[in-house]
Amino acid sequence: MGGKSSFVRALSLIVLLAQVGSFVPADSLRMTLCDAIHTRTGARDNLFASESTFMVEVSETARILRSATPRSLVILDELGRGTSTHDGAAIAQAVLHHVVTETRCLTLFITHYQNLARVADGLEGLTNVHMKFKADRGPDGEEEITFLYEVGEGVAHRSYGLNVARLAHIPKKVIDKAAEKSSAMESDMRMRRLKGACRMLGDVIGGSPGQLDSLIASIDQL
C-alpha cells in the first residue's frame, strides 16, 4: 500500500532500460552493468506441479541463490510469508545474510519483519529505508494515514495494517476488535521481552561483554 513493491519494480525496469540504451525517467543516472536481474515477488501457488504458495516462494529464492553473482540485481519481496512467523523470519534473515555476505550483490529486500532491521547494524553495506507516510487524526478521532510514496532513511517502527483495512472499508466493528487484539498481542510481546531482558541482566552482572550487547539489543526492542 505504501509503494514498496512498485518502487523496486520501477528500479528493475530502469536498470533494464538503461542497459539497452533507452531513456530512463530520471534527471541523471549512474550505475554499473548487471549480468542479470533476479526477482522473487508476489504470492501464488502452482497446482499443476503440486507446489504450495510457500514452495513456489522458496523454490524461486533457491534459484536466485544459485544463480546470482556479485554483478546481479536481486529483488526479494516479502520472503517468508507462506509459513509460520518464526520460520518465515528465520528464512528471510538467513537469505538476507547470505546475499549480503556471500553473494555481495545489489539487493532490494522488502519485509514487514521488524527484527530484520537489526541485521543492518552488524552487516557492512546494508541500509534500512522505508516508505514515508503522514499520520493525522480524522474528524471522528481515528488515526488517518496518508502514504507519501517517497523513500526515507531508517525503519518504519510499526505497521499500519489496520489503517489499510479501514481504507478497504472493513466494517468498523471488525476493525475495532482487531485493534483490541493487536494491542493485547503487543503488550504481551513487550512483557515477554521485558522478562527476557531481566534474565539477561542477571547474566550480565557476572557475565561477558557479549551478554551486555544482547541485553542492550533487547532493551531497544521494548
Side-chain angles (χ1 to χ4, degrees):
M1 191 67 186
K4 300 181 295 296
S5 297
S6 297
F7 174 77
V8 297
R9 288 171 181 169
L11 189 143
S12 300
L13 290 172
I14 287 174
V15 170
L16 180 61
L17 289 171
Q19 288 203 194
V20 301
S22 175
F23 292 104
V24 298
D27 293 330
S28 64
L29 174 67
R30 184 173 63 184
M31 57 170 283
T32 58
L33 292 177
C34 293
D35 59 12
I37 300 174
H38 299 283
T39 64
R40 203 240 63 81
T41 63
R44 66 186 185 283
D45 56 25
N46 186 356
L47 296 180
F48 291 106
S50 299
E51 294 180 343
S52 66
T53 302
F54 184 60
M55 185 62 181
V56 171
E57 184 177 311
V58 291
S59 295
E60 292 176 346
T61 302
R63 176 186 57 78
I64 292 173
L65 296 181
R66 289 193 303 267
S67 305
T69 74
R71 299 300 297 270
S72 301
L73 170 62
V74 171
I75 307 293
L76 294 168
D77 190 353
E78 297 289 4
L79 179 62
R81 290 181 300 180
T83 186
S84 68
T85 301
H86 294 297
D87 284 352
I91 292 172
Q93 181 167 339
V95 170
L96 177 60
H97 187 274
H98 180 84
V99 295
V100 172
T101 60
E102 300 293 332
T103 310
R104 301 183 65 84
C105 59
L106 177 61
T107 303
L108 295 175
F109 193 100
I110 297 176
T111 185
H112 279 97
Y113 293 129
Q114 292 285 341
N115 59 326
L116 286 190
R118 300 197 309 276
V119 176
D121 297 333
L123 294 178
E124 183 180 355
L126 188 60
T127 303
N128 287 317
V129 296
H130 69 281
M131 302 305 293
K132 291 183 178 181
F133 58 88
K134 182 173 66 174
D136 298 301
R137 289 290 174 184
D140 56 357
E142 297 285 352
E143 185 180 44
E144 293 184 351
I145 298 299
T146 302
F147 296 104
L148 304 179
Y149 303 110
E150 297 177 7
V151 177
E153 295 183 357
V155 180
H157 292 285
R158 52 167 293 197
S159 179
Y160 292 92
L162 294 178
N163 302 85
V164 175
R166 189 176 294 110
L167 291 173
H169 303 295
I170 295 290
K172 186 176 185 304
K173 185 176 181 180
V174 175
I175 292 178
D176 290 343
K177 188 65 175 180
E180 177 184 330
K181 294 294 184 182
S182 177
S183 178
M185 287 188 285
E186 286 182 1
S187 298
D188 181 62
M189 182 60 69
R190 289 195 187 98
M191 184 59 65
R192 291 183 183 181
R193 289 173 176 171
L194 181 59
K195 290 179 180 178
C198 290
R199 287 194 296 269
M200 285 185 188
L201 180 59
D203 296 335
V204 166
I205 292 175
S208 64
Q211 291 173 318
L212 178 60
D213 292 338
S214 298
L215 175 61
I216 294 172
S218 298
I219 293 174
D220 287 340
Q221 295 180 49
L222 296 176

